Structures are given as C-alpha cells and as structure tokens.
Amino acid sequence: MRKFALTLFAGTAIALCAAPSAQASFGEFIAATCGAACSDTTGETSQARQNWDALVTMGTTEWIGADFNGGKIDASSLLSAARIVGASELDRWLRTGQAADGNILQTMAGALTSGSGFNVSSITGVLSGLSGGGSSLAGSLSQLASGTPMGTITSTLTDSSSINVNFMGPGGGGGDYCDEGIAGTQNAAAQKHIDDMVNIAMSNDYGFSQMGGAGVGSGQKSSDGFFGMSCLDKFMQGTRDTLFRPPQLSQLVAMIGQMGGIGGAGGGSGGGGGGGGACDGAESVLQQVAGSMPSGIFDSGANGGFFPYAGFAGREGDGSGLNFGNAFNMVSNATGGSGSVSGDSFGLNKLFSAAR
Amino acid sequence: MRRLALSLILAATPTLALAEIRFAAMTDNAPERPVVEALMGAAPEGVVYQTAVVDLDSDGGAEILVRLRTGEDCAPATPCRTLVAQHGPNGWRVVLDWPAHTVARGQRGFGGFLSLVTDGSHAWTWTGERYRLDVTRTGEAVTFEAAPDSARALLADQFGTGARKLVDEGKADIVVGAVDLTGAGAADLVARLEGAGACGRVYGCPMRVLRIVDGQYVTILDGFGSGATSVLPVARDGHRDIASELPRGGHAIFGWTGERYAASNHNAPGARR
C-alpha cells in the first residue's frame, strides 16, 4: 500500500480568544477546494452544509481527531473529502476501507490530508483542528471541536496500509488503474526475475567472467566450471556458456580477413576483403584458427547478442545445451485480490417483479 | 502561439470528402508542428505524430487533431491515443484526449462545434470548454425511477451503513433502472444513491449495478454517476460497457473485467473550478 504524503498547512494557528470572521475563513476553504476563481461559492457553501448534516447523521464526525497519515482528521478535512465523493462514500471508506477504485481512494485520502486546518465553523458550528501545533494543543482543540472525549474516538487510521481497501477484484483497474493485488504479484515476479538474473550473472558456473577469467561475484578465477576455461575455450565452446554466444566462425574469419587485407579466406561463408596490411600476421593466424576449428562449430546457429532470459531456453533453433525453460516460474499466476463482492444477505429477490 | 489560418493549411491538403477524418504523418515543416510539440513535446523514439487540421467550429481557424502511432496502424487491440487541440483565449489547449482507431465528423451542436464520433460508436459533443462523451447518444440510455418502498432499505445497504441512515431519515433516496448487459435478456439493476450529502461535486453520486446470483443480488459495479447513464455498444467478454456522465462535463466508462465492472476510463473535471 502506498503511503500518503502528509501536507499540513503550517502557520495557520487560530487564536482561541479572537476568532477571525467565520465567513471569511470558510472562503479560504472554498479557495483551497474549489479554487481561487470558484464560480459558484453559493453552491459550494450550500453543498458543504448538506455534507456536514449528512456526516453528522451518519456519525462520520466520530472520526474527528483520529490520526491519519501523520496528522489528524478534522471537520474541514471531512468536508473536503465529502465535497469530492459525497459524504456517504467517505463514510463507507472510513468504516470499511472499501472504495470504488484506487483512484477514488487516493482522492479521498489526499483530500483528508490536504483539506485539514481550515476554519469551517460557519458550516459546522465547531472549530477545526489546528495544524502545526503541538500534539497536546491539537488534541485539546480536537476535543473542544468534537465535544467528545478523546478516549471515545476508537477509530485510528495510521496510514493507508492499515486500511483494508477492497478494490474491484482481478483486473479491476483497467484503463488507468491497476488492481493492487495483481500489481503486487507482478512486481514480485519482476523482482524475482531481476534477482535471478543477478544471481546467475554472479554465479561461478554460469555467470559473467571478466577478461582475466575471474568471476564477477567471487573475483576469483575458478578452476572448474565456466571460469575454469581459458578465454579461447569459452569462445569456441559456446554451449558451455548460456549467457554468451560466440560470433559465427564466418564472422570471425571475415573480421580477420579484413584486418589482414585478405579476402574470402578460411572456412565458413565469411569473406570480404578490403583494407590492407593492417595486421601482417593475420593470414597465418587465420589459417591457424581455421585449422583448429572443430567441424561442429560450423553448425552453430545464430550467435551474438545478449538475451539472458531467452538464453535459458537453449540455443536458438535447437534443444541442445542447458535448458532452463520456465524454471524460474515466470508465468504469472496472479489471481488478484479477494475481490469479495457485497452480497445481498437480506435476500432481495425479483425486484423488478415487485416493482412492476 | 497564434491560431492557424485554416485556408493556408487546407491549401496544402486534399479535399476530404468522407466523414472520417484522415490523418497524415506530420512533416517537419508542417505549420501545426510548433503547436503539437508545444503541447506534446517532441515525438519520442518510435512514435509518429499524425495530424489532421479541421475547422470544428466554422470560425475560420483550425483545430488540430493529433494521433500518436507506434506501429503501422492503430491495431484493433491497441487504439491510438488521439487528441484534439483548440486555440482559445489563453492559447492552445487539449480539449479531447481519447484512444481511438478512427475519428469522424458528426453533427454540429453547441457553440457551433461539430461533434466527433470515435470508432463509429462513441459520440463526443462540445460543452463550451471541452469535448464530452455524449452518453445518451453513444449507447442505450438507462431510465431511472424511484426504488419501490419495499426495496429501498435493502438497496441502501448496498451503499453502506451510512447511506442506510441517510435513506432511513429521508435525506437520500435510491433510484433504479434495468439494463441488459449481456444481451441474454436477463435484467441487471442499476441503482444510484441521490440526495443532499450523498453526491460529490467531482464524482457525482454513488452508483451500483446489481446482479442476481444464486438467488441473491451481488454488486458487479461499484462506481459513480451523475445525470445520464447508458449501456454502450462496446462489449468485453460478453458484457457491454456502461457509461455515465459526471458533474461539469465529465464522464466515466466501466468495462467488464471478467468478474465485475471496473472504471475503464473516466474524466472528472477538477476538484477546483
């Protein structure tokens, strides 16, 4: 679960003895929620009154003073969230953790944190909690605002991880959203793949080797396994190294030929001359290399490139070599969250028959 | 950035005889390039900007349609993100952003703006500020009526205990409508909680779609709606999409996931205005 950043409005302490104009203060709330150029302040004010009435009716105000995301829920934060999704959905989320989807949840949580600290007493008849003050001061004012001893506020929301959010089941996000359960499974599988790749790369048997033959992980040259071979051995015995594939002999010969200005010499389909005399000994080296080639090397498939995951299925085109296949269980078997649906435990049946 | 004189642009483009808007790869010296790159940035590697310039409001100035293509065409499974940019008092801005395979001109509507039809099914109409999914024209509208007294309390429970209290005290009510989402003739129920304090100014009113499973209703859609709601002609896994208006020109589209509906796309114009 993602943590929500706490944004408190520092420096908005309100003097207990000389409260500013309540109407002006609510204007600050409107500016913060509807915007400085809000075109319907009358409507916003009316909506806020209706929301507060609904919040009181449902008992949602019992959450005032509760810890949330490092701060406190106050009246203005409840109104800020209710303004966006409606008071009943806010109440449902606070009580059950259920929200329509992750985007709605994020919106409500953001409003609860960013909407706190405004004086909405003209709407609610009570002072909002302060921000930036000490815990004792904020706690006292919350008690004063709610008229409820702190001890009776039993619901405490610490951060989003404590909230049992019921998303819309497997693939419930669609479009712009991702079901948290599936996202977690995918992330875990991706991380496992990364970890597996790192482990393989660092291993002595199949890992990368440095120029001197030392293993990346151990820093030591192994006497057996991949690191036990000389560079030429590794170069020529491609099947021992599932991570590195030597170029085709034809390419190798062509490269040597180009170096020495030799055209089309050697085995394989290499060739291409051009250049001249860059490497005097190239021709003799070429003959030595070609002569020492095991005939099977000419049957190698396409080489080159580095596709570590694909390599674990063996060389392209054949089933020889080490075959890890799906050994790392990369197939996603995500089934998503519980996706529990709310059932009609009261047995509502045949609504339409009754209605019509 | 100045608006583009449509005449200059159309002089370089062939006459469009069909209703469908044709896009072409944006050239380096295309007059709309500065606008497109100002709004979207330079095209990332592998992405091609296709553009079309159309006078959507018949004011002599061009609106610019931009389509982001990464392959040969907008494949059936992966529509191309399509945007419409309009020059307003504060400069160019995006007034429609939607993934689509095709875009066609519709009828002229509010403000003299042509409506747009994407993929032959989704109708978009001008609101004065942006294009909005025309929910009623895009699908089959749901007709809502007050929930019968006998079912009101049970339906309210679907929205939570708080909603039940509001309904019991007469501060909110439930409206319902019947929909056939699978074409099998069986009716599912769309229920919406309405009333003071029930609805939000951004997301609208809580909405549920209920289905009878083993003799009991279960919630297959948990979302929001305000105003018109319709069942779209687009279906996923045998279930048709559901679209609903949201306040201030917004909309939400819900698609079937295999087990229930989830928000496929929604546009809820700002928490601020």
Side-chain angles (χ1 to χ4, degrees):
Chain A
M1 293 283 187
R2 290 183 290 275
K3 304 264 184 196
F4 297 107
L6 171 67
T7 54
L8 293 178
F9 297 89
T12 57
I14 301 173
L16 293 176
C17 298
S21 164
Q23 189 62 32
S25 297
F26 187 67
E28 294 174 359
F29 175 84
I30 291 180
T33 55
C34 178
C38 183
S39 61
D40 185 16
T41 56
T42 302
E44 292 282 341
T45 304
S46 174
Q47 180 80 43
R49 294 188 191 280
Q50 293 170 352
N51 284 340
W52 183 253
D53 181 69
L55 292 170
V56 171
T57 300
M58 294 183 294
T60 319
T61 50
E62 72 184 34
W63 293 86
I64 290 178
D67 294 325
F68 180 76
N69 199 27
K72 299 281 186 184
I73 293 177
D74 59 16
S76 69
S77 58
L78 287 180
L79 286 175
S80 178
R83 175 185 176 277
I84 296 175
V85 299
S88 64
E89 286 296 297
L90 174 62
D91 182 86
R92 179 177 77 130
W93 177 56
L94 289 173
R95 295 187 187 283
T96 67
Q98 292 185 351
D101 58 41
N103 197 55
I104 303 295
L105 181 148
Q106 292 275 353
T107 301
M108 285 192 287
L112 280 178
T113 52
S114 67
S116 66
F118 294 97
N119 185 345
V120 293
S121 58
S122 64
I123 300 298
T124 66
V126 296
L127 289 172
S128 293
L130 293 185
S131 62
S135 59
S136 59
L137 177 61
S140 300
L141 289 172
S142 293
Q143 276 185 279
L144 182 66
S146 66
T148 306
M150 288 297 290
T152 66
I153 299 176
T154 58
S155 301
T156 299
L157 305 174
T158 54
D159 60 25
S160 60
S161 62
S162 72
I163 301 172
N164 177 27
V165 176
N166 184 23
F167 289 93
M168 296 185 71
D176 300 295
Y177 320 111
C178 178
D179 179 85
E180 290 260 346
I182 293 177
T185 302
Q186 289 179 328
N187 289 340
Q191 184 62 53
K192 184 176 186 305
H193 176 61
I194 293 171
D195 293 342
D196 290 339
M197 294 305 300
V198 171
N199 291 335
I200 291 165
M202 304 286 276
S203 71
N204 288 330
D205 287 336
Y206 306 111
F208 298 116
S209 62
Q210 297 178 354
M211 286 187 65
V216 172
S218 65
Q220 311 248 336
K221 190 173 187 302
S222 169
S223 60
D224 56 8
F226 181 74
F227 293 148
M229 298 187 292
S230 68
C231 282
L232 183 60
D233 290 337
K234 298 170 196 175
F235 202 72
M236 293 302 147
Q237 300 179 33
T239 55
R240 285 294 300 274
D241 178 3
T242 59
L243 299 179
F244 173 71
R245 295 177 184 180
Q248 289 192 10
L249 176 62
S250 60
Q251 296 172 323
L252 180 63
V253 170
M255 289 166 58
I256 296 176
Q258 289 170 8
M259 288 167 56
I262 303 168
S269 59
C279 177
D280 293 341
E283 182 174 2
S284 63
V285 170
L286 171 62
Q287 292 172 351
Q288 293 174 30
V289 170
S292 66
M293 289 295 135
S295 60
I297 199 67
F298 292 96
D299 296 327
S300 63
N303 292 320
F306 178 59
F307 301 99
Y309 183 64
F312 285 99
R315 263 187 329 191
E316 291 100 355
D318 66 0
S320 63
L322 297 166
N323 188 342
F324 290 88
N326 196 28
F328 296 104
N329 296 320
M330 291 307 298
V331 175
S332 172
N333 58 1
T335 56
S338 61
S340 59
V341 297
S342 57
D344 176 12
S345 59
F346 297 97
L348 173 66
N349 292 314
K350 301 187 186 302
L351 174 66
F352 290 104
S353 301
R356 296 177 181 174
Chain B
M1 204 172 301
R2 296 169 52 192
R3 50 189 293 196
L4 304 177
L6 184 64
S7 57
L8 293 178
I9 297 172
L10 288 183
T13 59
T15 302
L16 302 175
L18 304 178
E20 183 176 332
I21 295 173
R22 298 286 177 83
F23 290 81
M26 187 173 70
T27 60
D28 289 342
N29 57 355
E32 67 269 23
R33 174 172 281 275
V35 176
V36 173
E37 293 188 342
L39 291 173
M40 305 295 299
E45 184 176 348
V47 176
V48 173
Y49 285 152
Q50 292 182 325
T51 56
V53 288
V54 183
D55 184 5
L56 295 174
D57 57 352
S58 300
D59 66 348
E63 279 68 46
I64 302 172
L65 284 74
V66 185
R67 190 162 70 181
L68 281 64
R69 182 173 60 78
T70 57
E72 287 297 320
D73 202 348
C74 302
T78 52
C80 297
R81 182 181 177 191
T82 304
L83 304 98
V84 177
Q86 187 225 11
H87 188 273
N90 298 318
W92 287 93
R93 63 193 182 97
V94 175
V95 295
L96 175 63
D97 188 346
W98 187 255
H101 299 100
T102 64
V103 183
R105 296 179 184 80
Q107 297 177 346
R108 203 165 295 279
F110 178 75
F113 272 76
L114 287 172
S115 63
L116 297 172
V117 181
T118 56
D119 298 334
S121 59
H122 290 58
W124 302 85
T125 54
W126 184 249
T127 66
E129 287 186 358
R130 64 180 64 84
Y131 274 99
R132 171 186 189 172
L133 182 68
D134 190 329
V135 173
T136 54
R137 287 176 52 199
T138 298
E140 299 172 11
V142 177
T143 302
F144 287 97
E145 58 188 41
D149 293 341
S150 60
R152 183 173 292 112
L154 298 176
L155 286 171
D157 286 335
Q158 305 300 317
F159 296 88
T161 56
R164 174 67 183 270
K165 291 181 183 178
L166 293 179
V167 171
D168 287 345
E169 297 200 17
K171 296 182 178 180
D173 205 352
I174 310 286
V175 293
V176 295
V179 290
D180 179 4
L181 299 172
T182 62
D188 294 312
L189 180 66
V190 181
R192 203 158 68 194
L193 179 71
E194 296 183 346
C199 305
R201 296 182 78 80
V202 176
Y203 284 102
C205 308
M207 186 171 74
R208 306 285 186 269
V209 174
L210 307 174
R211 168 171 292 173
I212 296 177
V213 177
D214 296 331
Q216 293 187 340
Y217 271 102
V218 296
T219 300
I220 61 173
L221 187 155
D222 183 342
F224 289 86
S226 176
T229 297
S230 66
V231 179
L232 304 185
V234 177
R236 312 174 202 227
D237 195 17
H239 286 69
R240 297 164 65 186
D241 282 4
I242 300 171
S244 186
E245 293 178 343
L246 294 181
R248 292 179 291 182
H251 70 268
I253 296 178
F254 303 92
W256 183 251
T257 67
E259 290 193 9
R260 57 195 322 189
Y261 279 90
S264 166
N265 177 278
H266 82 253
N267 171 28
R272 303 182 177 203
R273 57 179 175 151

